[in-house]
Amino acid sequence: MSLERREFLKLSAATVAFTAFGGLGLDLTTVQAAADLSKLKGSKQTTSVCCYCSVGCGLIVSTGLEGKGRAVNVEGDPDHPINEGSLCPKGASIWQLTENDKRITKVLYRAPNSDKWQVKSYEWALDEIAKRVKKVRDAAFIAKDAKGQTVNRLEAIASVGSAAMDNEECWIYQQMLRALGLTYIEHQARI
Amino acid sequence: MTNHWIDLKNSDCIFVIGSNPAENHPISFKWIMRAKDAGGKLICVDPRFTKTAGKADFYAPIRSGSDIAFFGGFISYILANDLMFKDYVVNYTNASFIVGDAYDFKDGMFSGYNAEKKAYDKSKWAFAKDEAGIVKKDPSLQNPRCVYQLMKKHYERYTLKAVSDITGCAQDKLEQCYKLYGATGAPEKTGTMLYAMGQTQHTVGVQNIRAMSIIQLLLGNIGVAGGGINALRGEANVQGSTDQGLLFHILPGYVPTPAASMQELKTYNEKNTPVSKDPKSINWWGNRPKYLASYLKAIYPKQKPEDAYKWLPKVEDGKDYSWLTLFDEMYKGAFKGFFAWGQNPAASTANCGKVREAMTKLDWMVTVNIFDTETASFWKGPGMDPKKIKTEVFFLPCCVSIEKEGSISNSGRWMQWRYPGPAPLGGTKPDGDLIYELFEKIKGLYAKDKKAVFPDPIVNLNWDIATNHVFDPHKVAKLINGYFLSEKTIGDKTYKAGDPVPSFALLQDDGSTCSGNWIYAGSYTDKNMAARRDKTQTPMQEKIGLYPGWTWCWPVNRRIIYNRASVDPQGKPYQPTKPVIEWQDGKWVGDVPDGPWPPMADEKGKYAFIMTTEGFAQLYGPGRNDGPFPEHYEPMECPIPEHPFSKVLNNPTALKFTGNREGHASCDPRFPFICSTYRVTEHWQTGVMTRWTPWLLEAEPQMFVEMSPELAALRGIKGGDKCTVESARGSLWAIAIVTERMRPMQVMGQTVHMVGIPWHFGWVYPKDGGDSANLLTASVGDPNTGIPETKAFMVNVKKA
Ligand code: SF4
């Protein structure tokens, strides 16, 4: 292998999905050209950031403009100053995480003492959850503690989550939980 | 991180301990290799010879759970050999502070311990103050009650011999390691320390980090390029989710949650706003009332802050609500309902067998995820009889990150905007939409029920976070940044209602500003700063790869925090080849400085560490629950009955629980080996996402246990054998990997063996992948944070 490190970086930036698992037993120049063409044809590009570790590697996501409009490729963003186009195996597999037939795409409900899931709608589930939240809160709300101090809290519901959410989602989630009066609010940072 | 990923390249010496960036933060290693290419050295201290160790210039193994002994020996070595950066230590740390008479340390215990409460009275550790209320100091560092002298005395006991006996690391290795990294105490040199859960997941986790910080401060390595104390955080947005206050003890921006004894906003502010009498100390947390008022205005825009404050839930004073306690309460049946939102606690919690049983006691659980998890399906897991389990479970599927829009914050505090690529698959939804829609429904129920209990905080909550009934991340990002609510003139500038707050320096405590999270003020002003892609740098910034125009970083786009300590009191960089900031012609250039004030020596100058009350970094830390100096204690489960430093075996303040699921086994012949949990490159956390990704699963298909050839011979195990690993709490199977990466060690005259297991697997998928490592770990935690001790516990290993 006579490639200089810099050249290798340049090439791997464009062919990361191949090099991550295929090693370098390929004629990279041809692969690069082919990859470029097939990727760009009929797709739009957007930038994102890897959802795994906290290095925060930049991604370029290519989404098909025709058919079902699904992701056709996810690779490292060569302009991103941290990863300069490269990704580790986790980042390089985000396409497969997305286009994955094992994903749960329907709301599931497990009734008390049942041994199976039932498929439900979001509408039904959110209605039912809201009713349960209100029922518990109305019954268990603690307006004052044993010392007679006003505490306005609800200790009968707990929440964990989530570092897997965006900042904006985390913020509205904490706001909702605190409005309900929850004090058992925790997430991954504690473990 | 005090610094950021690219900055690793600026380091003369990178010290990796309790982390494994080559495997767990792989792309960061690019920057470590750049430092090495430029002549920098890499040190790796780890019980296991990891891939990071494989690239290191120097590797030293230590027994898992002996870190403070290792660091104590290091501190002692620095002081004995005068390796410290004296000007830095005197100017910027509390080395010169005089400690009050009530502080004492005897045979492993600090003064003020209450055996009944298992807690210290921290007031005993306070500094001595003069008549003006300013801490007494001795810059000559000679006073026997000054921090420097007390520290020296404290760590004299940590001799090379004692440290070697307890860590299992040979004396000459220790000395070489201390010497190599100690060289960064030279003013022009910088060294960085990289840690992860290998340091935090201990009953002395916080003191591990404190010990590293002490070393960094003694060597003048904080605030500088190629320096800092850098947590390599495990999740893409765990920095952000912490910043946004998803923990029981903090609101967004590290503002403590109100407690019951603080009935009025005024009382809260009195109790939570530090005061400094020293005019040279900025005491930035003195601004806390502005941040809480602005947060209250963000969530309840129509209420006065003092009224909105009354609606906030108040925690009971002194009560713990943290993770392990939460699941202990669930186990006792305290909860009716539970949200596991984007989390898999049935696999991720220490002693997760207890958690799985605890879930059977709930009335209902809501769980949100991309794939099925051990949590969602707990009712049909191993040993469960669904017919006997009453818990209702609602599984709401969410979309993946490339299908939605919003920001995440990386370890280096960079807030990075993500755009949506494909639409959410099969009608799944972003978490933001699910939260938005759920609360709309809850609010609706409260609005129409005249008898609903205390509806005010619910019906008045600011829920203007959607556009056309769809969650709008831009609206929320603007609210997190904050804006003026009424016209306000500050200095010579007048802001109108609706104008974004340009920086947290302009937030007010009178209700005229809102800001969902003060540390993010400045992130969404006239434009979305987190979406920026400008790589322009000044030549000075280019030297250290600062990239100030790429995305945005909290606070105020400051890329290296505590950077006032990178310059001498005249404002000249200590490391002229890699300057962070410099005082030139009456202004600062380079990074955004820690405040605009002139350098410290100037008449108007201020102390460097603006977030501490006194303005100095804390070698002596009187605020922690387990002592102002880190002290070695053994893990709660350990292989030895005594250690050389005192008669106190374990941390006397550790978080512990009682009950039938809390097995415990120290020096127990049934569980003779130390076990540690860790990660592999191809999986992530409990494996919820990666186990379902075929490329990754193929690379790492199942649970394994790494052990030394010596241990394998002892137990008659060969590589590839199926083994049983068991602790006092549970048991699982794992495939043996027999490898010299693990070595037996000599600890206190005995041979100690260690094994290691990954924690990415679970029974749900794949079918023959094994179950969670946390079935074995103990529910004991750090007394400051409650983080469980999953890096050192005792097990047995045998052929299955
Ligand atoms: S690609 Fe790898 S190193 Fe980069 S953020 Fe993702 S998981 Fe971390």
Side-chain angles (χ1 to χ4, degrees), chain A residues 52 54 70 79-80 84 90 100 108-110 113 122-123 132 134 137 165-166 168 185 187 191, chain B residues 34 201 233 236-237 241 248 387 389 391-392 395 397 407 416 418 423 441 449 453 535 681 692:
Chain A
Y52 288 112
S54 63
R70 298 308 308 161
D79 287 330
H80 198 285
E84 299 177 327
K90 286 193 290 294
N100 188 312
L108 300 176
Y109 170 69
R110 186 261 175 181
N113 311 97
Y122 278 110
E123 191 62 21
R132 280 160 185 72
K134 179 164 184 296
R137 187 177 179 277
M165 298 200 287
D166 291 350
E168 297 73 25
I185 300 174
H187 84 284
I191 52 174
Chain B
R34 299 256 171 112
Q201 288 175 340
R233 306 208 64 172
N237 197 37
S241 54
F248 90 86
K387 286 196 282 307
I389 298 168
T391 315
E392 285 181 290
F395 187 114
S407 74
Q416 307 199 86
R418 307 195 279 204
K441 300 216 181 263
D449 179 5
V453 173
K535 293 211 274 196
T681 305
W692 296 96

Side-chain angles (χ1 to χ4, degrees), chain A residues 50-57 83 86-92, chain B residues 24-28:
Chain A
C50 177
C51 56
Y52 288 112
C53 89
S54 63
V55 173
C57 296
N83 61 314
S86 47
L87 295 175
C88 83
K90 286 193 290 294
Chain B
N24 297 338
H25 298 83
I27 300 302
S28 77

Side-chain angles (χ1 to χ4, degrees), chain B residues 15-16 25 55 110 142 277 281 284 305 332 375 478 508 554 573 577 589 597 604 636 640 642 651 671 683 711 731:
Chain B
F15 197 122
V16 173
H25 298 83
K55 286 283 181 192
F110 297 92
Q142 296 308 312
K277 298 266 166 61
S281 177
W284 195 266
K332 291 184 197 147
T375 299
K478 288 177 190 171
Q508 307 293 319
W554 73 259
T577 56
V589 292
W597 314 281
K604 292 198 189 107
M636 296 311 283
I640 46 169
E642 56 179 8
N651 189 338
F671 304 105
H683 284 295
L711 173 55
S731 149

Side-chain angles (χ1 to χ4, degrees), chain B residues 23 65 125 130 237 289 323 329 407 433 439 443 502 519 535 545 566 569 578 610-611 622 664 703:
Chain B
E23 289 173 86
W125 310 334
D130 65 17
N237 197 37
W323 189 281
E329 289 295 313
S407 74
D433 292 76
F439 193 72
K443 205 166 98 172
I519 59 175
K535 293 211 274 196
S566 72
K578 42 182 170 180
I610 62 170
M611 301 309 289
H664 180 81
M703 187 67 183

